[in-house]
Amino acid sequence: MGLSMKTVWLVIPCYNEQEVLPETSRQLKKIMQHLMQQEKISKDSRIAFVNDGSKDATWQMISQLHDEDSLFVGINLAHNRGHQNALFAGLMVAKEHADAAISLDADLQDDVAAIEQFVDKFNAGKDIVYGVRSTRKTDTRFKRSTAHLFYKFMNFMGADTLEDHADYRLMSKRALEALSEYEEVNLFLRGLVPLIGFETDVVYYERHERFAGESKYPLKKMLSFAVEGITSFSIKPIRMITVLGFFLFSISILLLIYFFITWLVGYTVAGWTTIVISVWGIGGLQLLALGVIGEYIGKTYLEVKHRPRYTIERVLYQEEKNETKSAEDTEK
Ligand code: UDP
Ligand code: MG
């Protein structure tokens, strides 16, 4: 292999992950060393932790890892911007140095043994490799069924995503460059990446339980993530409202004809029920329609402001390995 060896970066967003970092870094280091020995990746490959504005000792731990071993790269965001933005920030830094980047979670839920398969597929010429969960045994029944519904609903609403693929994936440099061209502020990476194209492949893996600590994705965040996914990729909800409005309008016309006929034959009722029902029905429908439209207007508002998706406070990256201890601190 020799000269053709590729530089691969692992990109791991971290938010309050002090409980898992020691074990995660240990396991990932072992795998990277193994891959280097096998000459599947170059010695310039790195493990990059992106600190997403953690409130615990996460950043101190990352800087210490970097000080001890330049295999570790630290990227410190100025503020918590959420998983998708943190991941994006890390990928954009990786793009400058690596031939490919693999994104994974800090909590060891994405089976790290699959990394070798990602690398193999990349070395075989694939630009994007998706990690897809083979089973959902370790999830609670609730999470499993809600996740399934989520994909069904997403695809129905017009946002095509790969079922059971989260954000465990490999992207080549040119795929990352293509990704950087997408300028939207409302990020939903797993919906964006399939739009890029290129040759893709899939790696199946077993998803484990979180190694330690708590999920940073409570139900509330999951729901907003679903809304984000749908409204970022389709205008189907707006169209459905139009269809619904048209449908209800047709019904009211039919009812009008019906009431006119009953009036003609002289059978008149008090009509209280009809009025109350229609007032509530139409009122509810209008609120729903306004809500959906508001959702899109809010999105447009966020996009037109063109605010940066993230701000990097500091990057700990040392080009040469095992050289002087002083790290090249790039402050941005
Ligand atoms: N994460 C992040 N910023 C956030 C929330 C989460 O960078 O605001 C990271 C987190 O540290 C982890 C990954 O995103 O590496 C996935 O989060 P988590 O494991 O809590 O989600 P779950 O697996 O429960 O869906
Ligand atoms: Mg997790």
Side-chain angles (χ1 to χ4, degrees):
M1 284 201 148
L3 273 178
S4 65
M5 260 192 292
K6 295 287 204 294
T7 302
V8 176
W9 275 39
L10 305 182
V11 176
I12 303 123
C14 307
Y15 178 60
N16 295 345
E17 297 287 11
Q18 61 181 13
E19 287 97 349
V20 301
L21 266 179
E23 180 61 18
T24 304
S25 55
R26 197 185 62 79
Q27 288 197 21
L28 291 177
K29 180 176 176 174
K30 218 170 87 186
I31 284 171
M32 291 299 265
Q33 282 173 338
H34 168 76
L35 291 175
M36 285 175 191
Q37 269 157 22
Q38 300 273 304
E39 304 207 322
K40 286 187 174 182
I41 59 173
S42 82
K43 301 267 184 220
D44 295 328
S45 300
R46 293 287 191 281
I47 301 170
F49 289 110
V50 185
N51 176 40
D52 185 19
S54 301
K55 295 182 183 74
D56 63 1
T58 298
W59 178 244
Q60 286 88 302
M61 288 172 121
I62 295 172
S63 350
Q64 198 190 335
L65 283 167
H66 170 78
D67 287 344
E68 285 163 5
D69 189 341
S70 57
L71 171 67
F72 295 104
V73 169
I75 300 163
N76 194 31
L77 296 194
H79 190 66
N80 177 266
R81 298 305 313 269
H83 172 226
Q84 297 287 297
N85 287 311
L87 178 55
F88 190 85
L91 290 176
M92 290 305 110
V93 174
K95 172 172 78 77
E96 302 303 319
H97 307 278
D99 298 307
I102 303 175
S103 47
L104 64 156
D105 287 353
D107 54 13
L108 295 174
Q109 283 195 282
D110 302 325
D111 183 14
V112 295
I115 290 175
E116 184 156 5
Q117 295 176 56
F118 279 95
V119 170
D120 287 344
K121 301 222 155 151
F122 171 62
N123 283 333
K126 304 291 178 194
D127 278 283
I128 300 172
V129 186
Y130 297 104
V132 172
R133 309 174 59 166
S134 47
T135 57
R136 278 186 171 264
K137 274 193 299 225
T138 53
D139 274 349
T140 59
R141 183 187 289 267
F142 176 72
K143 180 129 189 179
R144 210 180 318 163
S145 45
T146 49
H148 188 69
L149 268 179
F150 172 73
Y151 289 109
K152 276 260 142 55
F153 189 60
M154 290 279 297
N155 287 349
F156 174 70
M157 285 302 206
D160 280 321
T161 50
L162 195 62
E163 176 150 10
D164 281 344
H165 161 66
D167 283 302
Y168 192 17
R169 77 175 85 79
L170 176 143
M171 292 178 79
S172 69
K173 195 190 199 86
R174 61 176 184 169
L176 289 171
E177 262 153 19
L179 179 68
S180 70
E181 304 277 314
Y182 289 78
E183 291 187 338
E184 56 217 86
V185 179
N186 299 286
L187 259 193
F188 189 71
L189 287 172
R190 67 185 79 165
L192 267 187
V193 177
L195 298 179
I196 294 174
F198 290 127
E199 239 191 288
T200 66
D201 207 338
V202 165
V203 162
Y204 291 95
Y205 72 100
E206 196 83 43
R207 193 160 160 101
H208 306 298
E209 260 163 281
R210 184 173 247 282
F211 170 71
E214 275 173 10
S215 171
K216 277 80 192 168
Y217 263 104
L219 187 64
K220 202 174 127 224
K221 265 196 196 171
M222 256 169 63
L223 284 178
S224 81
F225 193 53
V227 172
E228 185 80 356
I230 292 159
T231 52
S232 293
F233 286 89
S234 93
I235 53 164
K236 212 166 167 179
I238 286 187
R239 210 159 287 154
M240 280 164 65
I241 293 289
T242 318
V243 171
L244 191 65
F246 182 75
F247 180 68
L248 286 185
F249 184 67
S250 318
I251 288 182
S252 67
I253 295 281
L254 289 179
L255 281 177
L256 203 71
I257 296 171
Y258 171 74
F259 288 138
F260 185 66
I261 293 171
T262 52
W263 178 75
L264 274 186
V265 297
Y267 180 77
T268 40
V269 276
W272 186 83
T273 327
T274 349
I275 288 170
V276 169
I277 286 180
S278 49
V279 165
W280 283 91
I282 299 294
L285 187 72
Q286 280 176 336
L287 277 186
L288 175 71
L290 279 178
V292 172
I293 292 166
E295 197 68 47
Y296 282 94
I297 291 179
K299 261 216 152 128
T300 314
Y301 175 61
L302 286 177
E303 293 294 350
V304 294
K305 277 193 291 194
H306 251 283
R307 286 192 181 160
R309 280 174 282 211
Y310 56 85
T311 307
I312 291 177
E313 185 264 335
R314 170 186 301 242
V315 178
L316 300 177
Y317 169 68
Q318 193 178 317
E319 204 151 330
E320 295 297 315
K321 289 192 75 182
N322 312 320
E323 291 291 316
T324 45
K325 274 268 171 178
S326 66
E328 171 212 305
D329 287 16
T330 12
E331 294 200 38
K332 292 201 177 168

